[in-house]
Each structure stands twice: as C-alpha cells, then as structure tokens.
Amino acid sequence: MADNFVTNVAANGGEAPMSIMWMPAGTHTICATIDRKPGRYTVHATEGCVERLNTALSARKEGEGLKPVIFFDHKRGRAAAYPDRFEWGKNQEGKEGIMLHLTRWTPTGKAMVEGGEYNGFSPAFVVDESGNPIDLPHTTAEIGSLTNEPAFKENAHIAAMWNAEAELRPEYREIAAAWQFEKTTSKDKTEEETKEKDNMKAIAKKLGLDQNATETEVLAAIEALQDLKTDNGTHEIQASLDAANEELEETKKSLEAANKKYDELVDKTGNAMIQAAIEEGRIPAKNEELISTLKTTFKNDPAAAQTILAAYKPQQDFHFGEKTDDKKKKKGMSDYCQEECDKLNK
C-alpha cells in the first residue's frame, strides 16, 4: 500500500495534484440518488474494492463506448480531468482511502483547482447489495466530479480553503450532489432477466405448453391443473393423509411403550443397587432423603447415580444392630470401642 499520495494543491507546491482521494476508507452514510430517487445510503470503501474498480475503468478506457472522465458539478459537458487508475493508500495527511491517479488535467480543470474555485471531489460509482463500490456507471462517462459540496464529507479536499462548517445549499440538502449511484449493474440485470426467462421456459415445458408461452398462459395452465387435482384427487389425498396419521399414531404408541419399559428397567436396577448399598453398609437405611435423591438421579441419569453410589464406602456403624453381640447392643458403639482400646493398652 502506497502512503505518499499528494492530493492537495498546497502540498503539491501550488499546482493541481496528479492524484485525488476518490473515496475515503471505511463505512459512510451519505445523501445520494439511487435509481433516480434521493435518499440516505450506506457505502463501504475497502482495499478489496480497488481491483474491481480498476477492471471497470480499464474496460471503459479500452472499449468503444464513452471514455471515462471527471466532470464539473456532475454535469455532462466540459471535462476537468481524465483518470488513469485506482490505488489504495494514504495521502500527505495520513488519510486512507481509494486514490485515483490522473493522466492529465484539462486547462480549465487545472486553473479552477489551482485558483481555488473547486476544492472537493465526489465519485460516481455502482455498489453491490452490501454497499461496496465495485463498478463504474454504465449510463455516463463520469466517474466523479469536481464539486464544492461533496457527498463524502470525510474525503480529502483538493484545495485548502474549504470550510468544514459550511451549510449545503437548499437544492443539495436532500441529494448532496445528485451524482450517479446505481444499485445493480446492467450486466447483473441482464443475467437476472435471462435466468427468469429460462425458468419460465422450463415451467412451460413441464406443463405441456410451447416454450415461448407467455406468463399469462403459464399461470392459466397452473390454475387449471390445480382445479383438476382438487376435483379428482381429493379422496385419494385424504386417504393417504389418513393412512399417514394412523402410522404416526402407531409409532407414538410404540415409542411410549418402549419409554415405559425403559423407565421400569431403570427403576428396578436402581432400586436393586440402592438396596445392595444399604446391605453393604455404604448408605444408611433410614436416610430417606438420600435414598429418594438417588432414585430420582437414577431416573434422570443412571450413570451419574452409579458414580455417586460407588463413592460411598462401607461404615461399620450401619451394621451395629445386626453383627455385634449383646454386649455391643447394650452399649453404644463409641463406648464399646473405647473399652476395647483400653484392654489393648493394658
């Protein structure tokens, strides 16, 4: 990316610069006309737009049609300058954007820029559906104009005397500079029309019509076919729907039975594992809250329930009433253990 573009008269020793900022970088909301209707639109200027703009510019320069030119105030007539190529870069002020190199200024354009009669520039371009400038107008030779009231206020100015606080004249307040701003290219429109015609031919062929049948004839054939299906196929369609609904109900019943069987199996397995944990002394038989929680966990996540059960270790206290002698039964486990320890110490 170049960063040494001189786009200002003052920075170019008082002479008209050979580069201008065609469009500032970034996203901008501007006032403009699109399809001859004034409004506010969003435009995105990025480095990726440069290649397609150069392709369009070369096609205009090398083709047999109107040669690209810079006008005054977006009015066809006298030329102010002639374009060479686009490039992404920065100017002497560090402002980034799409720069336009010029092959030459006309004597009138050069004199008006150097004399300060014109201090700004507004581009003319075509955008895609996302607002990216990717082409140049097909209906005019203009790719931009010298103007004192540019649509892009962030654009670098050619002369140094521009007043940033100046109000737009009434006739410019809605459309800014009335420059060309097309939403889709002529090529895109032609491709869309061709695709639409091809689709219509294919539909006509399927309906048994001539491929050159009109849209009215095609629509009439479709309506007639719909009426025929309604009259003759109602009972057949209803029978198919009824059969499909019966099959759906059977599937639902089978699924419900399978879910019920699965739930019963989970409950049975979970209860068995919980009971085994109680008998092994890993969980207390009287802790109803814990047992209830484990049963619920088994229903929702059997694997998690098994992991929880595995974490519990056997506790002798839980079997105190079943596996100890009468002496232990009469005394608490703590007292019994203390006595046994005292015996060992003696």
Side-chain angles (χ1 to χ4, degrees):
M1 179 183 70
D3 58 1
N4 58 346
F5 292 97
V6 177
T7 62
N8 184 276
V9 171
N12 198 43
E15 296 185 0
M18 294 307 294
S19 297
I20 59 177
M21 180 175 281
W22 189 78
M23 185 180 293
T27 300
H28 311 272
T29 300
I30 61 173
C31 294
T33 56
I34 178 170
D35 295 334
R36 299 182 179 180
K37 296 180 181 179
R40 295 178 66 84
Y41 304 97
T42 300
V43 179
H44 309 284
T46 66
E47 187 174 0
C49 301
V50 172
E51 183 177 354
R52 296 186 67 175
L53 289 171
N54 272 325
T55 299
L57 181 59
S58 296
R60 303 292 190 283
K61 292 169 65 177
E62 298 169 5
E64 298 179 357
L66 298 171
K67 303 302 180 183
V69 68
I70 294 173
F71 287 145
F72 296 93
D73 293 317
H74 302 285
K75 296 178 181 178
R76 297 181 181 182
R78 292 185 303 169
Y82 294 96
D84 180 23
R85 69 185 186 281
F86 292 100
E87 193 170 351
W88 184 265
K90 295 180 180 179
N91 66 0
Q92 69 283 339
E93 299 171 358
K95 291 184 177 181
E96 193 173 35
I98 301 174
M99 305 295 178
L100 176 64
H101 291 283
L102 305 176
T103 56
R104 66 184 180 90
W105 289 94
T106 64
T108 302
K110 179 178 175 65
M112 289 192 170
V113 168
E114 292 177 353
E117 293 186 55
Y118 282 91
N119 53 58
F121 176 84
S122 278
F125 56 96
V126 175
V127 297
D128 59 18
E129 292 298 321
S130 299
N132 303 301
I134 46 83
D135 203 351
L136 300 172
H138 293 256
T139 58
T140 176
E142 182 190 14
I143 68 167
S145 280
L146 293 180
T147 177
N148 288 322
E149 294 168 332
F152 290 87
K153 300 300 180 294
E154 301 88 344
N155 219 339
H157 292 84
I158 301 172
M161 60 180 65
W162 180 73
N163 179 6
E165 302 299 324
E167 290 288 337
L168 293 176
R169 295 200 307 269
E171 61 267 32
Y172 279 84
R173 282 179 182 156
E174 288 189 2
I175 59 175
W179 41 269
Q180 298 288 331
F181 181 38
E182 302 171 2
K183 192 68 174 177
T184 56
T185 65
S186 298
K187 180 181 179 182
D188 292 336
K189 291 179 181 177
T190 301
E191 290 177 351
E192 289 177 3
E193 290 173 356
T194 301
K195 184 177 181 180
E196 188 173 327
K197 289 179 181 178
D198 290 341
N199 290 338
M200 187 61 69
K201 289 180 179 180
I203 294 172
K205 184 177 180 180
K206 288 184 178 180
L207 292 171
L209 302 175
D210 184 271
Q211 65 175 3
N212 294 319
T214 65
E215 183 177 349
T216 301
E217 292 172 338
V218 170
L219 291 175
I222 292 174
E223 290 178 0
L225 183 61
Q226 289 175 335
D227 292 340
L228 180 63
K229 286 185 175 181
T230 300
D231 293 337
N232 299 334
T234 301
H235 297 297
E236 182 179 345
I237 293 173
Q238 188 60 50
S240 297
L241 289 175
D242 291 342
N245 286 329
E246 289 179 5
E247 184 177 350
L248 179 60
E249 289 299 323
E250 290 298 324
T251 302
K252 287 182 178 179
K253 290 179 180 178
S254 297
L255 182 60
E256 290 174 357
N259 287 334
K260 183 178 180 181
K261 186 174 182 180
Y262 173 78
D263 290 340
E264 290 175 351
L265 178 61
V266 169
D267 286 344
K268 183 178 180 180
T269 302
N271 290 338
M273 294 183 72
I274 292 172
Q275 184 59 39
I278 293 173
E279 294 175 356
E280 293 169 2
R282 290 189 287 116
I283 60 174
K286 295 183 179 181
N287 193 334
E288 296 179 357
E289 183 178 355
L290 174 59
I291 294 173
S292 176
T293 300
L294 287 170
K295 288 182 178 181
T296 301
T297 305
F298 261 106
K299 289 182 179 180
N300 298 328
D301 191 344
Q306 293 181 56
T307 302
I308 294 172
L309 276 178
Y312 285 99
K313 304 301 179 183
Q315 299 293 324
Q316 186 66 31
D317 288 354
F318 299 158
H319 296 279
F320 158 62
E322 298 176 326
K323 298 183 178 181
T324 57
D325 54 25
D326 293 340
K327 184 178 181 181
K328 295 177 185 176
K329 292 179 181 179
K330 294 178 181 178
K331 298 181 180 180
M333 175 60 77
S334 298
D335 293 340
Y336 173 75
C337 290
Q338 185 61 49
E339 289 182 2
E340 293 298 316
C341 288
D342 291 341
K343 291 179 182 179
L344 292 174
N345 291 331
K346 290 179 179 180

